[in-house]
């Protein structure tokens, strides 16, 4: 018989978009059906901590956990104007004038009486980036904890991180 494999699926539900979550569920279902051998043990962990399944060889249970995956928006506050993505926030913090101008123009169009649109755009970018870095830290910590937890297991181990990607903030110089 083939040696037992330990597989942990780490789903970064803090950074996944709605359309991609639907695709992910289908892909993970196919993965569990076609790529996981009967002797394999599989676990699932979400970066938000809202879903988890300990190592099991029960594919039906794993497929139920996958079906229940959901979006977890961890932004402390959504800003309607300006809407700044994590990537745009990082660019603004790096000093990118185009990224800043897009946010400033949005403020000026939607709220023309704003006294300091550039200052507001920078402040929102700073808050969005801080939230983004915090969420990225949670993702890194989750993968680190899974790695440490699997270290004591015998045999082959596989950690699969599924994410739409995230801003780490590593490219931003602290002022």
């Amino acid at each position: 018989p083939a040696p037992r494999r330990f597989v942990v699926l780490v789903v970064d539900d803090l950074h996944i978009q709605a359309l991609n979550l639907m695709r992910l569920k289908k892909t993970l279902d196919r993965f569990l059906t076609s790529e996981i051998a009967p002797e394999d043990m599989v676990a699932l962990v979400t970066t938000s901590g809202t879903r988890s399944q300990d190592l099991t060889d029960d594919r039906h249970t794993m497929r139920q956990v996958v079906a229940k995956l959901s979006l977890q928006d961890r932004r402390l506050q959504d800003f309607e104007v300006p809407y700044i993505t994590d990537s745009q926030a990082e660019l603004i913090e790096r000093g990118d004038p185009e990224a800043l101008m897009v946010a400033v123009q949005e403020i000026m169009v939607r709220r023309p009486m704003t006294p300091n649109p550039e200052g507001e755009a920078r402040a929102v970018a700073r808050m969005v980036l801080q939230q983004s870095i915090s969420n990225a830290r949670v993702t890194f910590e989750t993968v680190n904890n899974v790695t440490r937890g699997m270290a004591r297991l015998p045999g082959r181990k596989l950690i699969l991180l599924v994410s739409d990607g995230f801003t780490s903030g590593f490219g931003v110089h602290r002022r």
Side-chain angles (χ1 to χ4, degrees), residues 85-105:
T85 65
D86 296 350
S87 298
Q88 183 183 5
E90 186 171 25
L91 289 172
I92 291 170
E93 284 295 295
R94 284 184 187 172
D96 185 304
E98 288 180 45
L100 177 61
M101 189 51 59
V102 168
V104 168
Q105 287 175 344

Side-chain angles (χ1 to χ4, degrees), residues 5-13 24-25 27-33 35-36 41-47 51-55 59 62-63 65-66 69 142-143 146 150 158-163:
R5 233 180 6 167
F6 297 95
V7 180
V8 177
L9 306 171
V10 180
V11 177
D12 186 9
D13 58 347
L24 171 64
K25 288 179 180 185
T27 301
L28 288 179
D29 194 61
R30 275 195 314 268
F31 178 78
L32 291 168
T33 303
E35 300 298 324
I36 299 298
M41 299 289 285
V42 184
L44 184 139
V45 176
T46 59
T47 53
R51 292 262 180 264
S52 68
Q53 172 60 52
D54 289 335
L55 286 166
R59 301 299 169 265
M62 284 303 299
R63 292 173 77 195
V65 173
V66 167
L69 290 172
T142 301
V143 172
V146 167
M150 291 182 76
L158 173 68
I159 300 172
L160 177 64
L161 171 64
V162 183
S163 177

